[in-house]
Amino acid sequence: MKFIKNKSQFISGVVVGGLLFGAVGAFAAGGQMIEVFYNVKNIKINNVSKMPSESKPFVKDGVTFVPLRFVAEGLGQAVKWDGKTQTVLIGETGEENVTYLGNGITAMNFQTSRGGGYSSIIDGTEYDKGGDGAKKMPKDIAGNEYSDYSTAWSYEDTTIEYPLNGKYKKFKATIGIPYDYRENTTTGKLEISVDGTLFKTIKLEPGKFSENIELDVSHANKMAFKLSDDESGSSKYIVVGIYKGRLTN
């Protein structure tokens, strides 16, 4: 099968078998004809089968090429293309003036319908108030650890609000079910509102990978998170992790 990739498609589409196999292919300006084989039947991330819906993996000269964004986000890492420096950024992007939830900004309101709990993870350690007091690195459902400020909280119909006071431009985070609750069968959702307007709804369900989000919060006065489960009134509960929740200005 003949396959054509020009330079811009190759970069924005997803580069590179080198992410997995240590090899990077070079493309001549204007593109070139190459022969590839679409014989990759399955990809497993942390032993979970998952194939990209677009930009299918292929094999060329014994090297497997897999979408970079697909692999990075499957491992809980943000990925970004910096056109100015011609650089692929994975994970930390060198952002300046970052304020983490729990460090530099604290909640101004916390309400729950059950007498339930809210635990902060500070400096990459979580203090388990209900257990043996052990400290551990926060992990998402795929087992990825986060060393910076994160929060994890639970119980239905819970709302927590943070004051922004028009100081920030963007809110970024990785959000999903924590690793310790990966076998929880309860489903629910997290709604993120800015100044009373719903900006984002994240479905929380068993086996779902964490989601990287970025919201425009320019000139906003407050941001609210509302957590709810799909079995209101039951004894079950839903837990969400907001990993590296950060505001930039």
Side-chain angles (χ1 to χ4, degrees), residues 1-51:
M1 177 181 295
K2 296 296 182 181
F3 185 79
I4 299 176
K5 281 281 187 179
N6 65 38
K7 187 174 181 181
S8 63
Q9 287 175 324
F10 178 74
I11 291 175
S12 64
V14 284
V15 208
V16 153
L19 178 66
L20 296 180
F21 298 93
V24 178
F27 283 73
Q32 71 178 81
M33 183 78 72
I34 63 174
E35 186 175 40
V36 303
F37 299 92
Y38 290 99
N39 56 1
V40 178
K41 303 299 183 183
N42 194 11
I43 291 177
K44 290 188 175 183
I45 297 178
N46 292 312
N47 208 33
V48 177
S49 295
K50 197 172 180 68
M51 284 284 283

Side-chain angles (χ1 to χ4, degrees), residues 144-164:
N144 302 303
E145 294 184 341
Y146 295 85
S147 59
D148 291 310
Y149 295 84
S150 303
T151 62
W153 42 288
S154 63
Y155 296 98
E156 67 170 13
D157 297 331
T158 300
T159 300
I160 185 169
E161 295 180 326
Y162 288 91
L164 304 184

Side-chain angles (χ1 to χ4, degrees), residues 169-236:
K169 294 181 179 179
K170 299 285 185 180
F171 172 72
K172 300 179 182 182
T174 300
I175 298 177
I177 298 173
Y179 182 81
D180 289 346
Y181 297 90
R182 62 193 182 282
E183 297 180 359
N184 192 339
T185 59
T186 305
T187 60
K189 62 184 177 181
L190 179 70
E191 298 174 302
I192 306 175
S193 300
V194 178
D195 286 342
T197 299
L198 179 63
F199 263 41
K200 181 76 174 178
T201 298
I202 298 175
K203 290 291 292 181
L204 301 168
E205 50 195 13
K208 182 181 178 181
F209 284 114
S210 298
E211 181 175 341
N212 296 307
I213 69 163
E214 178 176 329
L215 300 178
D216 185 351
V217 296
S218 300
H219 312 298
N221 291 315
K222 69 177 181 179
M223 179 171 58
F225 300 88
K226 181 179 179 181
L227 177 67
S228 57
D229 64 42
D230 294 334
E231 300 182 51
S232 180
S234 72
S235 60
K236 297 181 179 180

